[in-house]
Amino acid sequence: MLTARRARREPEDGQGARVVERADVVVVGGGVVGTSAAFHLARAGLDVVLLERGALGGGSSGKPVGGVRAQFSSEVNIALAARSLRAYARFAAEMGAAAPQGIGFRRTGYLFALRDAEHLPAFTRAVELQRSLGVESRVVDAAETARLGVVVDPAPLVAGVWSPDDGVARPGAVLRAYAAAATALGARVRTGCALEGVDVLPGGRARLRTGAGDVEAAAVVVAAGAWSSSVARVLGADLPVRPVRRQIAFAPAPAGLPVPPEALPFTIDQRSCAYWHGDGDGGLLLGWADPDQAEGEDVTVDDGWHAGLRAALADVAPSLASAPLSRGWAGLYEVTPDRDAALGLLAGGAADHGVRVVAAAGFSGHGFLMAPAAGEVVRDLVLGAPTVVDVTPLDPARLAGAASDVARRTELAIV
């Protein structure tokens, strides 16, 4: 168990040949989960170094608008998401100067549009579980789904699932706030600093080698998003997190829309996994998870993807299917074989020599919405303390030998 203390930085040989920075814990990854972890660790009194190979938010966390919801089908995901949703609601007030412009948090609500009767029982069971855990969700009929969704056509619908407390916020603003607050607490953020290797030292410590010098610590947090598998491999551990491209596009609001675009709920068509919501700037953000997308790190924008998006929207929201689309952007989801996060202690390599290695990766599109609670859980795991949420079901050990399945259509559903 680590105890809070202040670490040292000193030359390795006393002559300044190579500076070895010492810390209690190193966080690898400068996305929203990594910066949340760095903040919560620093606030607990630990000496923290964060390593980011590029710029903060250079991966998916730098994108403009993200959904935040507590609608899931397992207790652990509901607990992580609901705790994070509460944190986002009070984020600007609690973070103060670290978030001077706020984070764009809006309770637009989250709406699942169901077109297939066979999906309804699973969603109904999920709602019952959510409500038992304090989430204000409910099943609504087709007419109510269309009324809430505004642009949704009721004709093909069976039902909908709605929660008014969910909404959207800006991941980039959250990330910058966490990084600023962590720095104010003494954490050192190193950008352009890729992890190149690890040496295990006596006493349960590891020396992380980078092009900008070495860092020694007793604990390492793997929070590198879609690149977490390679980071874990450097540490001698197996973490089956795979990258898969996901795209979004922007469109103007349809003519005659009876509400401002910002008032539209985050809406997901269960059958196609197409989704849309206000972009916060007077237009719409639209997305679709192509089930035929192969694994890989390619983030080239493919305008041919627009045809699939339009086809997905045609039956459920026809006024959006013909909207003029701007090019948008592509980013990477970090997916695990079962689409649940890997949040817990890793075994193998450095961990087998006493280094505390914590995984916080593989959120499969849900990293931003779970980041506040995930950062708290990481803190507890590093300290060897009881976690604020019981994340036993997310133990990375469950993924050993699991096969990947990036084409699964339910990744944007209530997993």
Side-chain angles (χ1 to χ4, degrees), residues 183-210:
T183 301
L185 290 167
R188 283 101 67 201
V189 175
R190 307 287 187 243
T191 56
C193 195
L195 178 64
E196 298 176 349
V198 174
D199 299 317
V200 177
L201 306 176
R205 293 180 68 80
R207 177 173 295 176
L208 281 70
R209 290 182 271 111
T210 82

Side-chain angles (χ1 to χ4, degrees), residues 289-301:
D290 182 353
D292 297 321
Q293 180 66 57
E295 290 181 0
E297 297 182 11
D298 180 14
V299 291
T300 304
V301 175

Side-chain angles (χ1 to χ4, degrees), residues 75 119 180 277:
E75 186 167 346
H119 290 149
H277 56 77

Side-chain angles (χ1 to χ4, degrees), residues 24-104:
D24 294 319
V25 55
V26 174
V27 177
V28 183
V32 69
V33 173
T35 53
S36 171
F39 165 70
H40 285 101
L41 288 161
R43 191 162 66 169
L46 295 178
D47 191 61
V48 181
V49 171
L50 184 149
L51 303 179
E52 164 54 46
R53 70 175 189 172
L56 290 180
S60 297
S61 294
K63 307 310 181 185
V65 183
V68 288
R69 61 174 165 105
Q71 294 186 70
F72 284 88
S73 59
S74 68
E75 186 167 346
V76 63
N77 284 337
I78 294 168
L80 286 169
R83 187 176 183 90
S84 296
L85 187 59
R86 292 192 295 271
Y88 282 133
R90 60 178 187 267
F91 194 94
E94 288 195 352
M95 298 298 279
Q101 307 301 319
I103 60 170

